[in-house]
């Protein structure tokens, strides 16, 4: 029987497999612990953590669309102190990688959150959320300017030697320019992509379906865009890229890996099928065995462009 190695590296961090859950869709992990053994995952990315608690945006803040979902949660979270006291003890028990998604209103906020969690210990890395489209302060504005992206990354880098990931927005003119700025400032990996700005209207009330009018579009509708952005960013930087956007089945995972993503994050699909993380790990194990793949690098970036 072929014994395949599914492990992948994100800078200093080794994942046992390339399947991660996406921030904002998996709570702080404990919410999904009754569905399957979370240690089957390569890792989980927590809900955003900011310096102070955030109530998030007013409702309604979720709306289904054709092939996707709009959200305007607004980075609602318990704040870093309550995260450390109430959420971190559970996360410390896990043997899969734990990556904390970090949000901030100012450039300095990100580094302060990282510093507080570093002092508490028990996590494997950080994902800097410089690209949320649903908040008025910070959010997407940070990832629309390469200089600000670099400043956020550089300050956070000074606070940790653990894996540092920057989550990029597709809502910019040149995502590769922003990617290069994050890499040059010390990022170990990049998450590509966050949600796209979208809008839906209730034809009965003639009002927007979200209280904030626009929100972040996720789900299968954005997968081709996400694949294209991963393709672009992989060719612009030397650090690993994590593919995100509309993954529902194993063939979606394989598309991202073949395009060049080193790992993937599962987002909206967690709401449809809470077991999907473990299922995709099992299906990936079977796939590499059936196709005689010994290491994930045989699959990652194996796209054949000369046949186009």
């Amino acid at each position: 029987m072929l014994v395949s190695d599914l492990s992948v590296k994100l800078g200093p961090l080794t994942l046992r497999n390339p399947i991660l859950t996406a921030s904002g869709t998996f709570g702080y992990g404990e919410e999904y612990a009754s569905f399957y053994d979370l240690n089957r995952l390569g890792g989980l990315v927590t809900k955003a953590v900011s310096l102070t608690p955030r109530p998030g945006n007013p409702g309604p803040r979720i709306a289904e669309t054709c092939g996707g979902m709009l959200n305007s949660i607004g980075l609602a979270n318990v704040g870093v102190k309550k995260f450390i006291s109430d959420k971190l003890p559970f996360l410390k028990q896990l043997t899969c990688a734990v990556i904390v998604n970090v949000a901030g209103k100012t450039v300095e906020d990100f580094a302060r959150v990282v510093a507080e969690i570093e002092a508490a210990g028990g996590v494997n890395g950080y994902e800097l959320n410089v690209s949320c489209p649903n908040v008025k302060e910070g959010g997407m504005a940070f990832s629309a300017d390469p200089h600000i992206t670099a400043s956020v990354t550089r300050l956070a880098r000074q606070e940790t030697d653990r894996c540092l990931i920057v989550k990029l927005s597709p809502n910019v003119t040149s995502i590769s320019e922003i990617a290069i700025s994050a890499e040059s400032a010390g990022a170990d990996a990049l998450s590509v992509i966050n949600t796209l700005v979208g809008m839906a209207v209730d034809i009965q009330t003639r009002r927007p379906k979200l209280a904030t009018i626009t929100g972040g579009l996720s789900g299968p509708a954005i997968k081709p865009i996400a694949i294209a952005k991963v393709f672009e960013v992989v060719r612009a930087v030397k650090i690993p890229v994590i593919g995100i956007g509309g993954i529902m089945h194993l063939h979606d995972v394989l598309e991202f890996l073949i395009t060049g993503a080193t790992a993937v994050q599962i987002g909206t699909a967690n709401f449809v099928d809470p077991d999907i993380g473990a299922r995709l790990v099992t299906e990936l194990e079977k796939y590499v065995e059936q196709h005689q793949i010994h290491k994930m690098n045989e699959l990652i970036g194996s796209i054949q462009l000369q046949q186009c």
Side-chain angles (χ1 to χ4, degrees):
M1 178 180 173
L2 176 69
V3 178
S4 298
D5 179 5
L6 269 65
S7 67
V8 295
K9 283 186 68 70
L10 300 176
L13 177 61
T14 299
L15 305 179
R16 60 177 54 132
N17 64 65
I19 307 296
L20 297 148
T21 58
S23 178
T25 66
F26 212 67
Y28 299 100
E30 195 167 11
E31 296 88 338
Y32 281 80
S34 63
F35 291 101
Y36 62 91
D37 179 5
L38 301 185
N39 295 316
R40 287 283 290 152
L41 295 165
L44 66 85
V45 183
T46 71
K47 187 176 182 60
V49 177
S50 55
L51 199 56
T52 56
R54 294 178 64 107
N57 292 327
R61 51 189 195 180
I62 293 285
E64 286 192 44
T65 64
C66 182
M69 183 185 79
L70 280 169
N71 91 83
S72 66
I73 303 302
L75 301 177
N77 77 95
V78 297
V80 67
K81 294 194 183 306
K82 204 164 184 60
F83 170 78
I84 291 171
S85 64
D86 293 4
K87 309 299 180 183
L88 198 52
F90 169 79
L91 294 169
K92 283 183 174 180
Q93 300 173 36
L94 300 177
T95 59
C96 67
V98 173
I99 297 168
V100 179
N101 185 276
V102 178
K105 293 181 180 178
T106 69
V107 170
E108 292 77 15
D109 276 3
F110 291 86
R112 292 172 66 185
V113 172
V114 170
E116 290 209 29
I117 299 174
E118 276 291 287
V123 306
N124 302 99
Y126 303 92
E127 181 182 67
L128 304 180
N129 188 354
V130 296
S131 49
C132 177
N134 301 320
V135 290
K136 293 180 180 178
E137 296 175 285
M140 196 168 66
F142 288 137
S143 67
D145 184 321
H147 301 293
I148 299 177
T149 300
S151 294
V152 171
T153 308
R154 191 174 297 112
L155 286 177
R157 179 79 285 170
Q158 292 172 1
E159 301 295 338
T160 182
D161 292 326
R162 302 182 204 277
C163 181
L164 189 65
I165 303 165
V166 179
K167 190 170 186 176
L168 302 183
S169 170
N171 305 297
V172 295
T173 303
S174 173
I175 194 172
S176 57
E177 182 182 9
I178 309 298
I180 292 168
S181 71
E183 179 185 40
S184 65
D188 292 309
L190 303 168
S191 293
V192 179
I193 58 176
N194 208 322
T195 56
L196 290 116
V197 175
M199 179 175 169
V201 176
D202 186 323
I203 62 169
Q204 302 302 323
T205 63
R206 302 188 183 186
R207 293 176 176 174
K209 290 187 175 181
L210 297 179
T212 51
I213 302 177
T214 62
L217 179 65
S218 61
I222 74 167
K223 194 185 79 172
I225 300 168
I227 293 275
K229 296 302 180 185
V230 167
F231 181 77
E232 177 183 343
V233 172
V234 163
R235 277 149 185 77
V237 299
K238 294 182 174 61
I239 55 178
V241 172
I242 303 167
I244 317 168
I247 293 174
M248 303 294 289
H249 306 285
L250 178 64
H251 65 76
D252 300 322
V253 174
L254 297 173
E255 271 193 82
F256 275 100
L257 296 179
I258 290 169
T259 300
T262 297
V264 297
Q265 291 182 12
I266 314 303
T268 304
N270 288 309
F271 301 132
V272 180
D273 176 8
D275 295 328
I276 188 171
R279 176 167 60 80
L280 289 176
V281 173
T282 299
E283 291 178 0
L284 183 60
E285 289 171 339
K286 292 179 180 176
Y287 177 88
V288 298
E289 181 182 337
Q290 290 169 355
H291 291 77
Q292 299 286 300
I293 295 170
H294 295 81
K295 291 182 176 296
M296 294 310 297
N297 282 341
E298 297 172 27
L299 189 62
I300 294 168
S302 60
I303 189 168
Q304 300 297 306
L305 298 176
Q306 65 272 24
Q307 295 177 2
C308 295

